[in-house]
Amino acid sequence: MAEQSQPAAADRRTVLRTTALGVAVAGVGVTAAACSSSNSTAQGSTAQTAAGGSSSTVASSKVPVDGGYIDTTNNVVVTQPSAGEYKAFTAICTHQGCTVSSVQNNVIQCPCHGSQFSAKDGSVITGPATSPLASKTVTVAGSTITYGA
Ligand code: FES
């Protein structure tokens, strides 16, 4: 009996300890993954661009004036700073590699540490980032916007 209850108690402690560690590690993992996965995606995107200069398209209706469209697959943010004027930039923050999360009032926002970039030219509005978002090519044909390297 006593032998059965001791292992059970040990198991419970082990489970609790493991759970507590698991939560702590998972919490750290989420933060790290947000930045590191974006980093590796950015590297993949750069390699892809260098290899073939790939491009993608989006309907202009998905890119609001003073706002933007974030292509998280290709890591590009397409903006429309004024009616009919389209711009595209890398969606990878120059601070630590997170993917930008929104574009409002011509401000591209990074969710990780609060950097803000201009939707007009990619320049830094608010740090900690110190370098602008690199521009991408943009062409408009009718209601289709093509963007890429
Ligand atoms: S990664 Fe964008 S502000 Fe830090």
Side-chain angles (χ1 to χ4, degrees), residues 35 93-100 110-117 127-129:
C35 284
C93 180
T94 56
H95 177 228
Q96 287 184 1
C98 288
T99 303
V100 300
C110 179
C112 289
H113 313 100
S115 288
Q116 296 181 318
F117 303 89

Side-chain angles (χ1 to χ4, degrees), residues 13-28:
R13 279 195 303 270
T14 303
V15 167
L16 288 174
R17 206 177 301 135
T18 303
T19 303
L21 282 173
V23 168
V25 170
V28 169

Side-chain angles (χ1 to χ4, degrees), residues 7-71:
D11 286 349
R12 228 176 283 126
R13 279 195 303 270
T14 303
V15 167
L16 288 174
R17 206 177 301 135
T18 303
T19 303
L21 282 173
V23 168
V25 170
V28 169
V30 166
T31 304
C35 284
S36 64
S37 74
S38 296
N39 255 341
S40 53
T41 307
Q43 288 163 357
S45 176
T46 302
Q48 206 174 35
T49 298
S54 61
S55 61
S56 300
T57 61
V58 64
S60 57
S61 60
K62 290 188 175 180
V63 186
V65 176
D66 297 341
Y69 168 80
I70 299 171
D71 175 348

